[in-house]
Amino acid sequence: MNECPRCGWPQSDVYEVISRHLTSEGVVTYTRCACGAVQIRVQAFETGRVVTTGRLPGAS
Ligand SMILES: [Zn+2]
């Protein structure tokens, strides 16, 4: 679903950010559409998380 079900506004284009806060799951953003519908977006941390790959010290 990439558009507002009420007015068809593309959700990739944020009309207004109401509030944004951090949770253990990621960044939760409350946005308001041009038609007034409130949407909740959750952006997980995964994309910004540093994942260590490669050899572990002591492993052979
Ligand atoms: Zn809308």
Side-chain angles (χ1 to χ4, degrees):
M1 188 171 72
N2 298 317
E3 296 175 346
C4 174
R6 288 176 66 179
C7 70
W9 188 277
Q11 294 191 356
S12 58
D13 186 5
V14 177
Y15 180 75
E16 181 185 3
V17 176
I18 300 170
S19 68
R20 178 178 291 157
H21 55 99
L22 294 173
T23 70
S24 59
E25 308 249 320
V27 180
V28 178
T29 306
Y30 291 80
T31 62
R32 184 183 292 120
C33 184
C35 69
V38 175
Q39 294 159 345
I40 303 172
R41 304 150 181 261
V42 179
Q43 187 174 22
F45 286 129
E46 289 171 29
T47 53
R49 180 174 293 166
V50 176
V51 179
T52 304
T53 58
R55 267 172 276 178
L56 292 172
S60 57

Short mmCIF file of all heavy atoms in Angstrom, two decimals:
data_model
loop_
_atom_site.label_atom_id
_atom_site.label_comp_id
_atom_site.label_asym_id
_atom_site.label_seq_id
_atom_site.Cartn_x
_atom_site.Cartn_y
_atom_site.Cartn_z
N MET A 1 0.85 -1.19 0.00
CA MET A 1 0.00 0.00 0.00
C MET A 1 0.89 1.25 0.00
O MET A 1 1.56 1.54 0.96
CB MET A 1 -0.91 -0.01 1.23
CG MET A 1 -1.95 1.11 1.19
SD MET A 1 -3.16 0.90 2.49
CE MET A 1 -2.17 1.33 3.93
N ASN A 2 0.94 1.96 -1.08
CA ASN A 2 1.84 3.10 -1.20
C ASN A 2 1.12 4.42 -1.29
O ASN A 2 1.74 5.45 -1.40
CB ASN A 2 2.73 2.93 -2.43
CG ASN A 2 3.60 1.70 -2.31
OD1 ASN A 2 4.17 1.42 -1.26
ND2 ASN A 2 3.70 0.95 -3.38
N GLU A 3 -0.20 4.35 -1.19
CA GLU A 3 -0.96 5.58 -1.26
C GLU A 3 -2.00 5.61 -0.15
O GLU A 3 -2.44 4.58 0.33
CB GLU A 3 -1.68 5.68 -2.62
CG GLU A 3 -0.73 5.76 -3.79
CD GLU A 3 -1.47 5.73 -5.10
OE1 GLU A 3 -2.67 5.37 -5.10
OE2 GLU A 3 -0.86 6.03 -6.13
N CYS A 4 -2.38 6.81 0.22
CA CYS A 4 -3.42 6.95 1.22
C CYS A 4 -4.72 6.36 0.69
O CYS A 4 -5.14 6.67 -0.43
CB CYS A 4 -3.62 8.43 1.56
SG CYS A 4 -5.01 8.73 2.67
N PRO A 5 -5.38 5.48 1.47
CA PRO A 5 -6.62 4.87 1.00
C PRO A 5 -7.76 5.87 0.88
O PRO A 5 -8.77 5.60 0.23
CB PRO A 5 -6.93 3.82 2.08
CG PRO A 5 -6.19 4.27 3.29
CD PRO A 5 -4.97 5.01 2.79
N ARG A 6 -7.61 7.00 1.51
CA ARG A 6 -8.70 7.98 1.49
C ARG A 6 -8.57 8.96 0.34
O ARG A 6 -9.55 9.27 -0.33
CB ARG A 6 -8.72 8.76 2.81
CG ARG A 6 -9.21 7.93 3.97
CD ARG A 6 -9.15 8.69 5.28
NE ARG A 6 -10.07 9.83 5.31
CZ ARG A 6 -10.21 10.62 6.36
NH1 ARG A 6 -9.50 10.40 7.45
NH2 ARG A 6 -11.05 11.62 6.33
N CYS A 7 -7.36 9.46 0.10
CA CYS A 7 -7.24 10.51 -0.92
C CYS A 7 -6.22 10.17 -2.00
O CYS A 7 -6.11 10.89 -2.98
CB CYS A 7 -6.88 11.84 -0.25
SG CYS A 7 -5.20 11.89 0.39
N GLY A 8 -5.46 9.08 -1.80
CA GLY A 8 -4.52 8.69 -2.83
C GLY A 8 -3.18 9.40 -2.76
O GLY A 8 -2.35 9.28 -3.67
N TRP A 9 -2.95 10.14 -1.68
CA TRP A 9 -1.67 10.84 -1.52
C TRP A 9 -0.55 9.81 -1.36
O TRP A 9 -0.68 8.88 -0.59
CB TRP A 9 -1.75 11.71 -0.27
CG TRP A 9 -0.56 12.62 -0.09
CD1 TRP A 9 0.64 12.27 0.46
CD2 TRP A 9 -0.47 13.99 -0.43
NE1 TRP A 9 1.47 13.35 0.46
CE2 TRP A 9 0.82 14.43 -0.08
CE3 TRP A 9 -1.35 14.90 -1.01
CZ2 TRP A 9 1.25 15.74 -0.28
CZ3 TRP A 9 -0.91 16.20 -1.20
CH2 TRP A 9 0.36 16.61 -0.84
N PRO A 10 0.52 9.97 -2.10
CA PRO A 10 1.62 9.00 -1.99
C PRO A 10 2.26 9.05 -0.61
O PRO A 10 2.65 10.11 -0.14
CB PRO A 10 2.60 9.45 -3.08
CG PRO A 10 2.27 10.89 -3.35
CD PRO A 10 0.80 11.03 -3.08
N GLN A 11 2.37 7.90 0.03
CA GLN A 11 2.89 7.86 1.40
C GLN A 11 4.39 8.11 1.46
O GLN A 11 4.94 8.37 2.52
CB GLN A 11 2.55 6.51 2.05
CG GLN A 11 1.05 6.36 2.23
CD GLN A 11 0.69 5.17 3.10
OE1 GLN A 11 1.55 4.41 3.52
NE2 GLN A 11 -0.58 5.02 3.36
N SER A 12 5.03 8.04 0.31
CA SER A 12 6.46 8.35 0.29
C SER A 12 6.68 9.86 0.42
O SER A 12 7.76 10.31 0.76
CB SER A 12 7.10 7.83 -1.00
OG SER A 12 6.44 8.41 -2.12
N ASP A 13 5.63 10.62 0.15
CA ASP A 13 5.72 12.07 0.26
C ASP A 13 4.97 12.49 1.52
O ASP A 13 3.76 12.60 1.53
CB ASP A 13 5.10 12.70 -1.00
CG ASP A 13 5.28 14.21 -1.01
OD1 ASP A 13 5.95 14.74 -0.12
OD2 ASP A 13 4.74 14.86 -1.92
N VAL A 14 5.72 12.69 2.60
CA VAL A 14 5.09 13.01 3.88
C VAL A 14 4.52 14.41 3.86
O VAL A 14 5.23 15.38 3.59
CB VAL A 14 6.12 12.87 5.02
CG1 VAL A 14 5.48 13.26 6.35
CG2 VAL A 14 6.64 11.45 5.09
N TYR A 15 3.25 14.49 4.16
CA TYR A 15 2.59 15.80 4.16
C TYR A 15 2.93 16.58 5.43
O TYR A 15 3.33 17.72 5.40
CB TYR A 15 1.08 15.60 4.04
CG TYR A 15 0.30 16.90 4.01
CD1 TYR A 15 0.28 17.69 2.86
CD2 TYR A 15 -0.42 17.33 5.12
CE1 TYR A 15 -0.42 18.88 2.84
CE2 TYR A 15 -1.13 18.51 5.11
CZ TYR A 15 -1.13 19.29 3.96
OH TYR A 15 -1.83 20.46 3.95
N GLU A 16 2.76 15.91 6.57
CA GLU A 16 3.07 16.57 7.84
C GLU A 16 3.47 15.54 8.87
O GLU A 16 2.79 14.52 9.03
CB GLU A 16 1.84 17.34 8.35
CG GLU A 16 2.10 18.07 9.66
CD GLU A 16 0.85 18.73 10.21
OE1 GLU A 16 -0.23 18.58 9.61
OE2 GLU A 16 0.95 19.37 11.26
N VAL A 17 4.58 15.79 9.56
CA VAL A 17 5.01 14.91 10.63
C VAL A 17 4.44 15.43 11.95
O VAL A 17 4.67 16.57 12.33
CB VAL A 17 6.54 14.84 10.72
CG1 VAL A 17 6.97 13.99 11.91
CG2 VAL A 17 7.12 14.26 9.42
N ILE A 18 3.67 14.57 12.63
CA ILE A 18 3.06 14.98 13.89
C ILE A 18 4.05 14.80 15.03
O ILE A 18 4.33 15.70 15.80
CB ILE A 18 1.79 14.15 14.17
CG1 ILE A 18 0.78 14.36 13.05
CG2 ILE A 18 1.20 14.55 15.52
CD1 ILE A 18 -0.40 13.42 13.12
N SER A 19 4.63 13.60 15.10
CA SER A 19 5.63 13.34 16.13
C SER A 19 6.48 12.16 15.73
O SER A 19 6.10 11.35 14.88
CB SER A 19 4.97 13.08 17.49
OG SER A 19 4.27 11.86 17.47
N ARG A 20 7.65 12.09 16.33
CA ARG A 20 8.57 11.01 16.00
C ARG A 20 9.31 10.64 17.28
O ARG A 20 9.77 11.51 18.00
CB ARG A 20 9.57 11.51 14.94
CG ARG A 20 10.61 10.48 14.56
CD ARG A 20 11.52 11.05 13.49
NE ARG A 20 10.80 11.22 12.22
CZ ARG A 20 11.15 12.06 11.27
NH1 ARG A 20 12.18 12.83 11.42
NH2 ARG A 20 10.48 12.12 10.15
N HIS A 21 9.35 9.36 17.56
CA HIS A 21 10.06 8.95 18.76
C HIS A 21 10.66 7.57 18.61
O HIS A 21 10.25 6.79 17.75
CB HIS A 21 9.16 9.03 20.00
CG HIS A 21 7.88 8.26 19.86
ND1 HIS A 21 7.70 7.02 20.40
CD2 HIS A 21 6.71 8.57 19.23
CE1 HIS A 21 6.47 6.60 20.10
NE2 HIS A 21 5.87 7.52 19.39
N LEU A 22 11.63 7.32 19.46
CA LEU A 22 12.35 6.05 19.40
C LEU A 22 11.68 5.01 20.26
O LEU A 22 11.19 5.30 21.35
CB LEU A 22 13.78 6.24 19.90
CG LEU A 22 14.69 7.13 19.04
CD1 LEU A 22 16.01 7.35 19.77
CD2 LEU A 22 14.94 6.48 17.70
N THR A 23 11.65 3.78 19.76
CA THR A 23 11.19 2.66 20.55
C THR A 23 12.23 1.56 20.41
O THR A 23 13.22 1.72 19.68
CB THR A 23 9.83 2.13 20.07
OG1 THR A 23 10.01 1.50 18.80
CG2 THR A 23 8.82 3.24 19.93
N SER A 24 12.01 0.46 21.08
CA SER A 24 12.94 -0.66 20.98
C SER A 24 12.89 -1.30 19.60
O SER A 24 13.81 -1.99 19.18
CB SER A 24 12.61 -1.71 22.05
OG SER A 24 11.28 -2.17 21.89
N GLU A 25 11.83 -1.03 18.86
CA GLU A 25 11.66 -1.62 17.53
C GLU A 25 12.28 -0.76 16.44
O GLU A 25 12.66 -1.25 15.39
CB GLU A 25 10.17 -1.76 17.23
CG GLU A 25 9.41 -2.49 18.30
CD GLU A 25 8.94 -3.84 17.84
OE1 GLU A 25 8.51 -3.93 16.69
OE2 GLU A 25 9.04 -4.79 18.63
N GLY A 26 12.37 0.51 16.69
CA GLY A 26 12.88 1.42 15.68
C GLY A 26 12.31 2.81 15.89
O GLY A 26 11.89 3.15 16.98
N VAL A 27 12.29 3.57 14.84
CA VAL A 27 11.77 4.92 14.91
C VAL A 27 10.31 4.91 14.49
O VAL A 27 9.97 4.51 13.38
CB VAL A 27 12.57 5.88 14.00
CG1 VAL A 27 12.01 7.29 14.09
CG2 VAL A 27 14.04 5.84 14.36
N VAL A 28 9.44 5.35 15.39
CA VAL A 28 8.01 5.43 15.08
C VAL A 28 7.66 6.86 14.72
O VAL A 28 7.95 7.78 15.47
CB VAL A 28 7.16 4.96 16.28
CG1 VAL A 28 5.67 5.09 15.95
CG2 VAL A 28 7.50 3.52 16.64
N THR A 29 7.07 7.04 13.57
CA THR A 29 6.72 8.38 13.12
C THR A 29 5.22 8.45 12.87
O THR A 29 4.66 7.62 12.17
CB THR A 29 7.46 8.72 11.81
OG1 THR A 29 8.86 8.53 12.00
CG2 THR A 29 7.22 10.17 11.42
N TYR A 30 4.59 9.46 13.46
CA TYR A 30 3.18 9.70 13.21
C TYR A 30 3.08 10.82 12.19
O TYR A 30 3.64 11.89 12.38
CB TYR A 30 2.47 10.13 14.51
CG TYR A 30 2.37 9.03 15.53
CD1 TYR A 30 3.46 8.71 16.34
CD2 TYR A 30 1.18 8.31 15.69
CE1 TYR A 30 3.36 7.70 17.28
CE2 TYR A 30 1.09 7.31 16.64
CZ TYR A 30 2.17 7.00 17.42
OH TYR A 30 2.07 6.00 18.35
N THR A 31 2.39 10.53 11.11
CA THR A 31 2.25 11.54 10.07
C THR A 31 0.78 11.81 9.79
O THR A 31 -0.07 10.95 10.01
CB THR A 31 2.94 11.09 8.77
OG1 THR A 31 2.32 9.90 8.29
CG2 THR A 31 4.42 10.82 8.99
N ARG A 32 0.51 13.00 9.29
CA ARG A 32 -0.85 13.34 8.91
C ARG A 32 -0.87 13.58 7.41
O ARG A 32 -0.02 14.29 6.88
CB ARG A 32 -1.33 14.59 9.64
CG ARG A 32 -2.78 14.91 9.33
CD ARG A 32 -3.24 16.19 9.99
NE ARG A 32 -3.31 16.06 11.44
CZ ARG A 32 -2.61 16.81 12.28
NH1 ARG A 32 -1.81 17.74 11.82
NH2 ARG A 32 -2.72 16.64 13.57
N CYS A 33 -1.82 12.97 6.76
CA CYS A 33 -1.95 13.11 5.32
C CYS A 33 -2.62 14.44 4.98
O CYS A 33 -3.15 15.13 5.85
CB CYS A 33 -2.77 11.94 4.78
SG CYS A 33 -2.92 11.94 2.99
N ALA A 34 -2.60 14.78 3.72
CA ALA A 34 -3.24 16.01 3.26
C ALA A 34 -4.74 16.00 3.54
O ALA A 34 -5.37 17.04 3.70
CB ALA A 34 -2.99 16.20 1.77
N CYS A 35 -5.32 14.79 3.62
CA CYS A 35 -6.76 14.66 3.86
C CYS A 35 -7.08 14.60 5.34
O CYS A 35 -8.23 14.57 5.73
CB CYS A 35 -7.31 13.43 3.15
SG CYS A 35 -6.75 11.86 3.87
N GLY A 36 -6.04 14.55 6.18
CA GLY A 36 -6.26 14.54 7.62
C GLY A 36 -6.09 13.18 8.25
O GLY A 36 -6.13 13.05 9.47
N ALA A 37 -5.91 12.13 7.44
CA ALA A 37 -5.74 10.79 7.98
C ALA A 37 -4.38 10.67 8.67
O ALA A 37 -3.36 11.10 8.12
CB ALA A 37 -5.85 9.76 6.87
N VAL A 38 -4.39 10.09 9.86
CA VAL A 38 -3.14 9.89 10.59
C VAL A 38 -2.58 8.53 10.26
O VAL A 38 -3.29 7.53 10.26
CB VAL A 38 -3.38 10.03 12.11
CG1 VAL A 38 -2.10 9.70 12.88
CG2 VAL A 38 -3.86 11.43 12.44
N GLN A 39 -1.29 8.50 9.97
CA GLN A 39 -0.63 7.24 9.66
C GLN A 39 0.53 7.04 10.61
O GLN A 39 1.17 7.98 11.04
CB GLN A 39 -0.13 7.26 8.22
CG GLN A 39 -1.27 7.31 7.22
CD GLN A 39 -0.84 7.83 5.87
OE1 GLN A 39 0.23 8.41 5.74
NE2 GLN A 39 -1.66 7.63 4.88
N ILE A 40 0.78 5.78 10.92
CA ILE A 40 1.89 5.44 11.80
C ILE A 40 2.91 4.64 11.00
O ILE A 40 2.56 3.62 10.40
CB ILE A 40 1.41 4.64 13.02
CG1 ILE A 40 0.34 5.42 13.78
CG2 ILE A 40 2.58 4.28 13.92
CD1 ILE A 40 -0.33 4.62 14.87
N ARG A 41 4.13 5.12 10.99
CA ARG A 41 5.19 4.42 10.27
C ARG A 41 6.22 3.94 11.28
O ARG A 41 6.55 4.64 12.21
CB ARG A 41 5.90 5.35 9.29
CG ARG A 41 4.98 6.02 8.29
CD ARG A 41 5.55 7.37 7.92
NE ARG A 41 4.69 8.07 6.97
CZ ARG A 41 4.91 8.09 5.66
NH1 ARG A 41 5.95 7.50 5.16
NH2 ARG A 41 4.08 8.71 4.86
N VAL A 42 6.72 2.76 11.05
CA VAL A 42 7.79 2.24 11.90
C VAL A 42 9.00 1.94 11.01
O VAL A 42 8.90 1.16 10.08
CB VAL A 42 7.38 0.96 12.64
CG1 VAL A 42 8.54 0.46 13.49
CG2 VAL A 42 6.15 1.23 13.49
N GLN A 43 10.08 2.63 11.33
CA GLN A 43 11.31 2.40 10.57
C GLN A 43 12.26 1.61 11.47
O GLN A 43 12.76 2.13 12.46
CB GLN A 43 11.93 3.73 10.17
CG GLN A 43 13.12 3.57 9.24
CD GLN A 43 13.62 4.91 8.74
OE1 GLN A 43 13.38 5.94 9.35
NE2 GLN A 43 14.33 4.89 7.64
N ALA A 44 12.47 0.37 11.10
CA ALA A 44 13.31 -0.50 11.91
C ALA A 44 14.75 -0.05 11.89
O ALA A 44 15.21 0.60 10.96
CB ALA A 44 13.21 -1.94 11.43
N PHE A 45 15.48 -0.42 12.94
CA PHE A 45 16.88 -0.01 13.05
C PHE A 45 17.78 -0.77 12.10
O PHE A 45 18.92 -0.38 11.89
CB PHE A 45 17.38 -0.26 14.48
CG PHE A 45 16.84 0.73 15.47
CD1 PHE A 45 16.24 0.29 16.64
CD2 PHE A 45 16.94 2.09 15.24
CE1 PHE A 45 15.75 1.20 17.57
CE2 PHE A 45 16.45 3.00 16.16
CZ PHE A 45 15.86 2.55 17.32
N GLU A 46 17.30 -1.86 11.56
CA GLU A 46 18.16 -2.80 10.84
C GLU A 46 19.06 -2.14 9.80
O GLU A 46 20.21 -2.49 9.65
CB GLU A 46 17.32 -3.87 10.16
CG GLU A 46 16.71 -4.83 11.17
CD GLU A 46 15.71 -5.75 10.50
OE1 GLU A 46 15.88 -6.00 9.31
OE2 GLU A 46 14.78 -6.19 11.18
N THR A 47 18.50 -1.20 9.07
CA THR A 47 19.29 -0.60 8.00
C THR A 47 20.48 0.18 8.53
O THR A 47 21.50 0.28 7.87
CB THR A 47 18.40 0.34 7.16
OG1 THR A 47 17.75 1.26 8.03
CG2 THR A 47 17.36 -0.44 6.39
N GLY A 48 20.33 0.71 9.75
CA GLY A 48 21.43 1.50 10.29
C GLY A 48 22.31 0.73 11.25
O GLY A 48 23.30 1.25 11.75
N ARG A 49 21.93 -0.51 11.49
CA ARG A 49 22.67 -1.29 12.47
C ARG A 49 23.97 -1.82 11.86
O ARG A 49 23.98 -2.28 10.72
CB ARG A 49 21.80 -2.46 12.95
CG ARG A 49 22.49 -3.34 13.96
CD ARG A 49 21.53 -4.37 14.50
NE ARG A 49 20.46 -3.75 15.31
CZ ARG A 49 19.36 -4.37 15.68
NH1 ARG A 49 19.13 -5.60 15.31
NH2 ARG A 49 18.47 -3.77 16.41
N VAL A 50 25.00 -1.76 12.65
CA VAL A 50 26.28 -2.29 12.19
C VAL A 50 26.33 -3.78 12.48
O VAL A 50 26.18 -4.22 13.61
CB VAL A 50 27.45 -1.59 12.91
CG1 VAL A 50 28.77 -2.21 12.49
CG2 VAL A 50 27.44 -0.10 12.59
N VAL A 51 26.48 -4.53 11.44
CA VAL A 51 26.56 -5.98 11.59
C VAL A 51 28.00 -6.42 11.37
O VAL A 51 28.59 -6.13 10.34
CB VAL A 51 25.64 -6.70 10.58
CG1 VAL A 51 25.76 -8.22 10.73
CG2 VAL A 51 24.20 -6.25 10.77
N THR A 52 28.52 -7.09 12.36
CA THR A 52 29.91 -7.54 12.25
C THR A 52 29.99 -8.85 11.50
O THR A 52 29.30 -9.81 11.82
CB THR A 52 30.52 -7.73 13.66
OG1 THR A 52 30.38 -6.52 14.37
CG2 THR A 52 31.99 -8.11 13.56
N THR A 53 30.75 -8.83 10.48
CA THR A 53 30.95 -10.05 9.71
C THR A 53 32.43 -10.37 9.66
O THR A 53 33.27 -9.55 10.01
CB THR A 53 30.44 -9.90 8.26
OG1 THR A 53 31.12 -8.81 7.66
CG2 THR A 53 28.95 -9.67 8.24
N GLY A 54 32.73 -11.54 9.21
CA GLY A 54 34.14 -11.93 9.11
C GLY A 54 34.56 -12.82 10.26
O GLY A 54 33.73 -13.34 11.01
N ARG A 55 35.86 -12.97 10.39
CA ARG A 55 36.40 -13.91 11.37
C ARG A 55 36.27 -13.40 12.79
O ARG A 55 36.47 -12.22 13.06
CB ARG A 55 37.88 -14.16 11.07
CG ARG A 55 38.08 -15.36 10.19
CD ARG A 55 39.52 -15.46 9.75
NE ARG A 55 39.74 -14.61 8.55
CZ ARG A 55 40.90 -14.45 7.96
NH1 ARG A 55 41.97 -15.05 8.41
NH2 ARG A 55 41.01 -13.70 6.91
N LEU A 56 35.95 -14.28 13.68
CA LEU A 56 35.97 -13.94 15.10
C LEU A 56 37.37 -14.16 15.63
O LEU A 56 38.06 -15.08 15.20
CB LEU A 56 34.99 -14.84 15.87
CG LEU A 56 33.50 -14.62 15.57
CD1 LEU A 56 32.69 -15.70 16.25
CD2 LEU A 56 33.05 -13.25 16.04
N PRO A 57 37.79 -13.34 16.59
CA PRO A 57 39.12 -13.54 17.17
C PRO A 57 39.21 -14.90 17.83
O PRO A 57 38.35 -15.30 18.60
CB PRO A 57 39.22 -12.43 18.24
CG PRO A 57 38.18 -11.44 17.88
CD PRO A 57 37.09 -12.20 17.14
N GLY A 58 40.25 -15.63 17.50
CA GLY A 58 40.46 -16.94 18.12
C GLY A 58 39.88 -18.07 17.31
O GLY A 58 40.20 -19.23 17.55
N ALA A 59 38.99 -17.78 16.37
CA ALA A 59 38.43 -18.84 15.54
C ALA A 59 39.44 -19.22 14.48
O ALA A 59 40.14 -18.37 13.94
CB ALA A 59 37.14 -18.38 14.90
N SER A 60 39.44 -20.49 14.15
CA SER A 60 40.42 -20.92 13.17
C SER A 60 39.72 -21.55 11.97
O SER A 60 38.61 -22.00 12.09
CB SER A 60 41.40 -21.92 13.76
OG SER A 60 40.74 -23.02 14.30
ZN ZN B 1 -5.01 11.09 2.54
#
